[in-house]
């Protein structure tokens, strides 16, 4: 755990760009890792596990919830608006307050750390806290993925790797702790697996941070604004039944032919200036660059192209990559991916596999070059 904390700390000097929300999560995770290390030190130094499984379980249940929550908040903070972060903080804080209250009551009744049935109450509250965190994060990651697919055109792989390992990390204690907490031999098998999962998590977290760009801040700001609008809309709908009916029946107006032509012209001009070469471009940046609202762009892609911003831009980059490969056969795939706006060579490879079911190299070999 100390090694994981060091990795998180030292990697802060290697990120290309500072993202405020990501850095907040980094230090929440750093505190969590040190907290887990402290728990182990207290267990061993105090001899609690040697004194009995119930004593070891008591220390686990006192230490795990706050640091597990700290880790969960660090993950959740990247995924959701700040308002939801505060909500989760309040719920988890309340559960931990109930755990402490149960411990105090049990200690007062028993007069020692062997608090009897109150330990089970503490464990049930801890499991409830873990289950709540896992569910909230799983839902948040699903929403975040949809948001990124709609608004971003960058490589999704770093986020998907991070999301999968996060869920694996959070689910591990849900399955393992109830078994291991009262039976030490199982803990000896499960604990190393969980520690390896923590290490992989730290590495994927660092990789996610390295893939951030300054324009990701725009998506975070826009996401917070949309969340606030939805919350305000829901509040109004709840206070007024007529408002709810009116909102349900209201549909976004169809784009006029004149508006469609304007958007098409603006997009063609943007492509002509090779704006697609910017690998960090997203829907908000495109909207600002051509002076067309995000909603109109989304509607244009859906209504006129039957596509999305991500697919549309991926097609443009794909065609540009094919043209460059034919025109400059000596260019490496690294050069092609950079010149055509792909965020990485692996991103280029995945797009080619999706479009033509082969690698860029195989496609290049199967097509004659233009020379020149």
């Amino acid at each position: 755990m100390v090694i994981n904390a060091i990795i998180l700390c030292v990697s802060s000097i290697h990120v290309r760009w500072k993202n405020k929300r990501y850095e907040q999560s980094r230090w929440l995770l750093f505190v969590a890792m040190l907290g887990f290390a402290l728990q182990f030190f207290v267990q061993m130094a105090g001899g609690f596990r040697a004194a009995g499984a119930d004593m070891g379980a008591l220390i686990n249940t006192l230490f795990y919830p706050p640091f597990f929550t700290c880790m969960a908040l660090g993950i959740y903070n990247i995924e959701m608006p700040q308002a939801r972060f505060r909500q989760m903080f309040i719920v988890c804080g309340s559960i931990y307050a109930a755990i402490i209250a149960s411990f105090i009551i049990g200690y007062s009744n028993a007069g020692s750390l062997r608090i009897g049935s109150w330990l089970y109450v503490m464990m049930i509250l801890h499991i409830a806290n873990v289950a709540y965190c896992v569910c909230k994060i799983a839902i948040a990651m699903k929403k975040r993925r949809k948001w990124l697919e709609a608004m971003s055109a960058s490589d999704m792989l770093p986020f998907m790797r991070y999301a999968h390992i996060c869920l694996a990390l959070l689910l591990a204690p849900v399955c393992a702790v109830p078994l291991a907490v009262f039976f030490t031999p199982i803990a000896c098998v499960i604990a190393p697996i969980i520690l390896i999962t923590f290490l992989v998590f730290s590495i994927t977290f660092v990789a996610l941070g390295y893939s951030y760009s300054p324009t990701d801040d725009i998506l975070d700001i826009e996401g917070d604004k949309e969340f606030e609008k939805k919350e305000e809309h829901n509040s109004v709908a709840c206070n007024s039944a007529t408002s709810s009916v009116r909102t349900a029946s209201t549909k976004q107006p169809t784009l006029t032919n004149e508006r469609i032509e304007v958007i098409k012209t603006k997009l063609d001009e943007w492509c002509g200036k090779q704006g697609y070469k910017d690998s960090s471009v997203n829907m908000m940046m495109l909207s600002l660059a051509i002076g067309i609202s995000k909603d109109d762009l989304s509607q244009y892609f859906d209504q006129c192209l039957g596509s999305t911003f991500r697919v549309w831009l991926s097609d443009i980059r794909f065609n540009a990559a094919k043209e460059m490969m034919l025109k400059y056969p000596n260019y490496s795939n690294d050069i092609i991916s950079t010149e055509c706006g792909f965020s990485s060579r692996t991103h280029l490879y995945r797009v080619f596999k999706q479009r033509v079911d082969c690698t860029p190299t195989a496609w290049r070999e199967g097509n004659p070059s233009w020379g020149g």
Side-chain angles (χ1 to χ4, degrees):
M1 288 302 174
V2 172
I3 290 173
N4 283 319
I6 292 172
I7 291 173
L8 292 172
C9 181
V10 173
S11 63
S12 65
I13 65 177
H14 292 288
V15 293
R16 294 180 296 176
W17 312 103
K18 290 288 185 179
N19 179 282
K20 182 179 178 181
R21 187 172 291 183
Y22 178 83
E23 292 305 317
Q24 289 173 342
S25 293
R26 178 196 302 281
W27 299 116
L28 282 169
L29 295 170
F30 174 77
V31 171
M33 299 298 178
L34 290 183
F36 286 127
L38 176 63
Q39 181 271 339
F40 179 81
F41 176 78
V42 171
Q43 277 276 28
M44 297 300 105
F48 292 103
R49 174 65 70 175
D54 59 335
M55 294 295 290
L58 176 65
I59 299 302
N60 287 342
T61 313
L62 285 173
F63 275 84
Y64 279 159
F67 298 118
F68 179 87
T69 298
C70 195
M71 181 179 69
L73 288 171
I75 296 170
Y76 193 72
N77 183 51
I78 292 177
E79 311 298 332
M80 289 297 287
Q82 294 296 302
R84 288 289 177 86
F85 175 85
R86 291 189 292 270
Q87 181 187 74
M88 187 174 176
F89 179 82
I90 292 171
V91 171
C92 293
S94 300
I95 293 175
Y96 188 60
I99 290 175
I100 295 299
S102 300
F103 169 71
I104 293 173
I105 294 171
Y107 183 82
S108 300
N109 292 340
S112 70
L113 293 178
R114 299 187 184 278
I115 59 177
S117 59
W118 283 101
L119 175 59
Y120 294 99
V121 175
M122 293 172 63
M123 289 187 62
I124 291 172
L125 288 169
H126 169 48
I127 293 172
N129 181 64
V130 171
Y132 170 78
C133 291
V134 171
C135 289
K136 293 289 286 185
I137 289 172
I139 293 171
M141 284 183 170
K142 185 177 181 180
K143 291 181 178 179
R144 179 71 172 179
R145 179 178 179 178
K146 288 183 177 179
W147 172 253
L148 290 175
E149 286 176 344
M151 299 292 292
S152 171
S154 60
D155 192 0
M156 289 281 289
L157 185 61
F159 173 77
M160 294 309 302
R161 285 174 174 166
Y162 169 75
H164 291 156
I165 193 61
C166 281
L167 292 178
L169 177 69
L170 294 170
L171 287 171
V174 176
C175 302
V177 170
L179 296 173
V181 82
F182 281 120
F183 192 55
T184 303
I186 293 180
C188 294
V189 175
I190 294 175
I193 298 174
I194 294 178
L195 288 175
I196 292 172
T197 307
F198 268 91
L199 179 60
V200 176
F201 165 76
S202 298
I203 294 171
T204 55
F205 179 82
V206 172
L208 178 68
Y210 190 75
S211 68
Y212 267 109
S213 66
T215 56
D216 289 321
D217 290 341
I218 299 175
L219 292 182
D220 287 340
I221 293 169
E222 184 64 20
D224 287 347
K225 286 181 179 178
E226 287 206 1
F227 173 79
E228 290 172 1
K229 287 180 182 178
K230 287 181 181 178
E231 290 291 297
E232 184 179 351
H233 172 269
N234 292 337
S235 176
V236 172
C238 289
N239 293 333
S240 172
T242 57
S243 174
S244 180
V245 172
R246 186 165 59 252
T247 302
S249 61
T250 301
K251 293 184 179 180
Q252 195 173 14
T254 303
L255 293 173
T256 63
N257 290 334
E258 292 79 8
R259 187 61 173 165
I260 290 172
E261 282 301 316
V262 170
I263 296 174
K264 182 178 184 303
T265 301
K266 294 281 189 179
L267 289 175
D268 288 343
E269 290 176 356
W270 183 81
C271 292
K273 295 176 182 177
Q274 299 183 328
Y276 61 85
K277 287 190 173 185
D278 182 359
S279 62
S280 65
V281 70
N282 55 50
M283 178 79 90
M284 291 307 302
M285 290 178 63
L286 177 62
S287 173
L288 293 171
I290 66 175
I292 302 294
S293 71
K294 172 180 67 69
D295 293 335
D296 280 2
L297 282 174
S298 296
Q299 199 168 357
Y300 174 80
F301 291 132
D302 180 56
Q303 176 184 325
C304 302
L305 303 182
S307 184
T308 63
F309 165 68
R310 169 178 285 275
V311 174
W312 170 78
L313 187 54
S314 181
D315 285 341
I316 290 173
R317 289 170 172 168
F318 171 66
N319 290 326
K322 290 194 298 181
E323 182 177 342
M324 183 169 283
M325 285 178 182
L326 293 173
K327 192 172 183 179
Y328 303 104
N330 293 328
Y331 281 12
S332 68
N333 289 332
D334 287 329
I335 295 175
I336 297 293
S337 62
T338 301
E339 284 296 310
C340 295
F342 293 96
S343 55
S344 65
R345 181 178 58 181
T346 55
H347 191 197
L348 173 72
Y349 271 67
R350 278 196 300 280
V351 169
F352 264 79
K353 289 292 288 184
Q354 291 170 358
R355 299 294 193 281
V356 292
D357 196 29
C358 67
T359 66
T361 302
W363 185 90
R364 192 197 301 253
E365 291 173 351
N367 290 272
S369 66
W370 294 354

